[in-house]
Amino acid sequence: MTSVTGMENCVISLDKVSKVFGKANSAGFYTAVDNLDLKVAQGQMLALLGKTGCGKSTIFNMIAGLTEPSEGRVTVSGHDPFREFDAFRGKMAIVFQGDRLLPWRTAIENVELGLEILGQSAKQRRSHAMSWLERLGLRGHEHDYPHALSGGMRQRVSIARAFATNANLLLCDEPFSALDEMTGKRLRTEFVKLVKENGKTAVFITHSINEALEIGDRIVVLKRPATIAIDIPLTSETRDDAKEAIRSRIQGALAA
Amino acid sequence: MTAAQLESSSASRLGMTALRGAMSYVLPFAVVAGLWQFASLFFPPFLFPSLVDVFARFVSIVTEWSQFVDVLATVLRILAGLAGAFLIGAVLAVLMARSRMIHDFLSPILTLFQGIPALSWVVFAIIWFHGIEPRIFFIMVMTTLPAFSFQVLSALRAMSRDLTEMVMSFRPSRSKLFTAMIIPAVLPDILTAWKVNLGNASRVVVVAELVGATGGVGYQLLQQQQVFDMAGALAWTLQLVVFVLIVQAILTLIENVAFRYRAASERTL
């Protein structure tokens, strides 16, 4: 198992984390994450790659504070995201696999959700939400309900909703997997630009090698149950020069 | 065909559809009214009174305060009973949704209540309570509580887990989670529950008033029965029917405004 330890400016830390579901010796019992050590530095864009069912989403949910680890410790900025759930209000934003827009809210009202929870005034949040929609090319669609928007537009609204809260940590669970190639590529480029421009730390779950190579500063490949198979830091040089070698390593790790 | 022709043809088709819809709604009532009026020509008024007499009685009830106050009393009893049952039912449903133990304890009790006939609740209420209003309130609550509880519970359980998780990821306060997620998600089922229970409540309230009240539509129906006044019985019954139709229309209006976000399909069921 490869791990990155002793990292400075560590934002996310998973120390010997395991997660099991179901009761021991029962039919539904399985280990989703097994004794995982993982650290993510401030400003890093980590691409978590793995086959379906390897525990990516479980790790994601534990970092998000939506699931409690069975063993070990998860900390985000030194705090437990599950037990100190409310302490992360406005500090963490999530872009989910589906757009997960509230169907009873218009595009702009969906973007305003996080801002409402943060207690911003109606005027302030409206102009802030509008600026994000404009930035993502959705001007003129702010009063449309989700059913009237295309898949790509809905996903852009969900990205705007996550960015609008100005959280320092972004968690993304295969946000572009349901989109066509062209739209996915365009949104990925926009997304990387937004993360870099705003100095965010991001954990990006994907099962696409190309997406991981395009997005990540670092690629962690998981094997089942979620343990680290390989951990590859990427620089602009290695990304271009050793791209094919890295791709082969990842393919080898995924096939193992 | 030109765009103008298409538009005109589409408008005339829409007009015809609306007319057919109105006709299909009115026609059954017109046939029943016609048959009744026809029967009134051959039978005595205490069996089949003329619709003109029924209408005159209906108008007199609405226009004379001394009579209309009985209609208002019944309306208030229905609304108070439904509101009480809804509030208690919603609390029970939330408790059942949050705790498996509470669910396993309350669910059989509510099912048992559901099996008790309305008339039995009337008898229990007469034995247990002194005042007329507490009796009727008790009967209304007990007969509609199980349905409200199960309907709200079902709505809470049908809430999208993905959407709830998304809202939770922003770490909302309890009140914000309630207003931003829970209420909009369960509102369609709650309005349907109100529509269903309104019909049940309007039938139960009459039974309750027949037995134990000194005013209200049920009490007035009893008076009409004692003097074999069919026109009066029909006119009082129609008061209740009109009330139910008005409330149903208000609920439909709320639905149309609150659920305007729903996608409309050109092909409907």
Side-chain angles (χ1 to χ4, degrees), chain A residues 64 85 89 100 103 116 147, chain B residues 162 165 168 171 176 184 261:
Chain A
F85 192 76
R89 189 174 293 144
R100 300 199 189 185
E116 275 174 47
H147 74 77
Chain B
D162 282 355
E165 210 173 65
M168 285 305 290
R171 272 79 177 168
K176 193 67 208 170
Y261 63 82

Side-chain angles (χ1 to χ4, degrees), chain B residues 20-91:
Chain B
R20 263 205 302 274
M23 280 297 290
S24 67
Y25 191 72
V26 170
L27 192 67
F29 295 110
V31 169
V32 172
L35 286 173
W36 184 281
Q37 189 60 26
F38 184 70
S40 72
L41 300 174
F42 303 99
F43 291 94
F46 73 90
L47 289 180
F48 287 94
S50 155
L51 289 181
V52 178
D53 291 345
V54 176
F55 183 71
R57 292 296 297 276
F58 182 89
V59 171
S60 82
I61 294 168
V62 176
T63 51
E64 286 173 28
W65 178 248
S66 60
Q67 295 190 82
F68 192 64
V69 76
D70 280 313
V71 179
L72 282 182
T74 300
V75 166
L76 289 176
R77 283 167 184 157
I78 292 173
L79 293 178
L82 283 176
F86 173 69
L87 287 176
I88 299 168
V91 171

Side-chain angles (χ1 to χ4, degrees), chain A residues 51 221-224 229-230 232 247-256:
Chain A
K51 285 194 281 196
V221 181
L222 298 169
K223 61 182 179 184
R224 197 182 304 173
I230 47 172
I232 310 167
R247 187 192 301 277
S248 305
R249 277 184 71 193
I250 294 171
Q251 280 169 339
L254 288 173

Side-chain angles (χ1 to χ4, degrees), chain B residues 97-116:
Chain B
R98 286 177 67 96
S99 157
R100 180 91 211 163
M101 204 175 74
I102 294 175
H103 173 268
D104 291 348
F105 178 75
L106 285 178
S107 187
I109 296 174
L110 289 168
T111 310
L112 175 83
F113 284 179
Q114 223 167 5
I116 297 174

Side-chain angles (χ1 to χ4, degrees), chain A:
Chain A
M1 185 176 74
T2 311
S3 66
V4 179
T5 52
M7 186 179 279
E8 283 182 20
N9 301 323
C10 170
V11 176
I12 300 169
S13 167
L14 282 80
D15 294 317
K16 298 190 176 7
V17 168
S18 296
K19 179 69 186 178
V20 294
F21 291 100
K23 286 180 183 167
N25 304 321
S26 70
F29 178 81
Y30 76 99
T31 304
V33 180
D34 190 19
N35 206 28
L36 178 73
D37 285 318
L38 179 70
K39 291 188 186 340
V40 182
Q42 169 74 44
Q44 195 168 53
M45 193 133 162
L46 170 72
L48 267 182
L49 196 67
K51 285 194 281 196
T52 306
C54 74
K56 301 187 295 285
S57 294
T58 307
I59 296 173
F60 180 90
N61 284 337
M62 286 192 290
I63 297 171
L66 301 172
T67 306
E68 192 175 24
S70 308
E71 274 179 45
R73 188 156 186 253
V74 177
T75 55
V76 177
S77 303
H79 297 276
D80 184 328
F82 186 84
R83 289 174 190 274
E84 299 169 72
F85 192 76
D86 288 343
F88 287 90
R89 189 174 293 144
K91 292 177 181 155
M92 189 190 283
I94 301 177
V95 186
F96 292 93
Q97 192 169 11
D99 54 75
R100 300 199 189 185
L101 298 183
L102 296 174
W104 48 83
R105 285 178 170 235
T106 59
I108 197 160
E109 287 167 350
N110 266 289
V111 178
E112 284 180 49
L113 176 69
L115 306 172
E116 275 174 47
I117 290 167
L118 289 174
Q120 280 194 8
S121 70
K123 197 176 163 190
Q124 205 179 1
R125 63 176 187 250
R126 181 63 38 138
S127 76
H128 194 55
M130 194 59 224
S131 72
W132 274 103
L133 285 176
E134 279 176 5
R135 206 163 165 180
L136 284 157
L138 289 165
R139 189 188 176 86
H141 293 283
E142 60 270 24
H143 299 301
D144 287 349
Y145 283 101
H147 74 77
L149 300 171
S150 70
M153 289 160 103
R154 285 203 297 267
Q155 199 60 356
R156 273 186 277 164
V157 175
S158 78
I159 292 171
R161 179 179 62 196
F163 275 92
T165 56
N166 201 24
N168 281 326
L169 176 61
L170 281 168
L171 303 175
C172 313
D173 187 3
E174 302 183 37
F176 312 127
S177 62
L179 304 176
D180 65 79
E181 206 179 316
M182 289 299 288
T183 312
K185 189 168 174 54
R186 190 159 45 81
L187 286 188
R188 260 196 305 277
T189 310
E190 281 170 13
F191 179 80
V192 173
K193 196 172 144 217
L194 289 171
V195 171
K196 293 295 172 198
E197 272 177 12
N198 294 280
K200 312 280 185 199
T201 305
V203 175
F204 196 100
I205 286 182
T206 179
H207 55 246
S208 156
I209 299 175
N210 285 338
E211 192 167 66
L213 283 167
E214 203 175 315
I215 282 180
D217 295 333
R218 179 181 163 204
I219 300 175
V220 166
V221 181
L222 298 169
K223 61 182 179 184
R224 197 182 304 173
T227 49
I228 296 175
I230 47 172
D231 188 342
I232 310 167
L234 289 176
T235 59
S236 51
E237 292 83 40
T238 55
R239 194 192 302 272
D240 296 331
D241 300 343
K243 200 171 180 179
E244 288 314 309
I246 292 168
R247 187 192 301 277
S248 305
R249 277 184 71 193
I250 294 171
Q251 280 169 339
L254 288 173

